[in-house]
Amino acid sequence: NHLSQQSEDERSVLAESARIARGNISSLSQLNTKKFDGLVFPGGFGAAKTLCTFGTAGAKGTVEPNVLRIVREFHSDSKPICAICIAPSILALVLGKEHVTVTIGNDSETANEIIKTGAQHEECRVDDFITDRENKVITTPAYMYDDAKPFEVFKGIRAAIRELVEMA
């Protein structure tokens, strides 16, 4: 809960998504990767606690089965994947054994957990991004920098999304 800064045990991702999107959502189990040219994980701590368990288990984390399937399908179809903020941890858990290169900025503790998955970590400024061309993976640190200013985060995300569109 960003208002109280307290962890909540039970939250419905679908209910939260429906609130934000005003009801126009579908379960990830219904996602047909053949209908999309690229994939973006916007990040936020929910990515590291709900889409995977990296936020609590680090390199020993697991990935939600639908997310695992989706990442593997996009990757095997050579479609670009962009991950923002802490979301590169998902890609490290899924594609780490293929030595995917990602960034979460310069947080050495988190970077060490990423490296333990088999992934490579590259430091990156908040207003920039990293591209692993071989794996078609684009990552940017965004708010992994606690003192990041919104215009810096925007600059990094905008550049990463442009790279994704170019690759697609």
Side-chain angles (χ1 to χ4, degrees):
N1 181 322
H2 288 278
L3 181 60
S4 69
Q5 299 300 309
Q6 299 297 312
S7 180
E8 294 180 0
D9 292 334
E10 291 292 320
R11 289 178 78 174
S12 169
V13 174
L14 285 176
E16 296 273 341
S17 299
R19 180 182 57 79
I20 292 167
R22 301 186 188 254
N24 190 16
I25 65 160
S26 300
S27 170
L28 287 177
S29 64
Q30 297 175 350
L31 189 124
N32 178 352
T33 59
K34 302 293 183 208
K35 293 183 176 184
F36 296 91
D37 296 325
L39 174 65
V40 178
F41 288 103
F45 203 54
K49 285 185 69 180
T50 304
L51 301 182
C52 70
T53 60
F54 186 89
T56 55
K60 294 179 181 176
T62 59
V63 179
E64 194 279 332
N66 288 304
V67 173
L68 181 67
R69 172 190 64 83
I70 290 163
V71 170
R72 285 182 175 161
E73 287 178 13
F74 271 88
H75 185 256
S76 68
D77 289 344
S78 194
K79 293 179 180 181
I81 304 169
C82 179
I84 300 165
C85 193
I86 191 62
S89 62
I90 298 167
L91 304 182
L93 290 171
V94 178
L95 304 174
K97 290 183 179 24
E98 298 184 38
H99 308 294
V100 65
T101 299
V102 298
T103 191
I104 49 79
N106 67 357
D107 178 325
S108 60
E109 186 178 323
T110 305
N112 285 335
E113 287 300 311
I114 297 251
I115 291 167
K116 289 177 188 176
T117 68
Q120 305 298 310
H121 179 267
E122 191 172 322
E123 282 194 23
C124 179
R125 293 185 334 261
V126 65
D127 62 354
D128 206 355
F129 67 97
I130 299 297
T131 301
D132 177 337
R133 291 205 177 275
E134 184 178 326
N135 288 296
K136 287 196 168 181
V137 167
I138 306 110
T139 54
T140 185
Y143 284 108
M144 287 301 293
Y145 285 90
D146 290 334
D147 61 349
K149 301 198 176 15
F151 77 90
E152 295 169 322
V153 172
F154 172 78
K155 187 175 177 185
I157 292 171
R158 184 169 116 184
I161 296 299
R162 282 184 174 162
E163 179 83 349
L164 175 111
V165 170
E166 183 180 304
M167 279 188 178

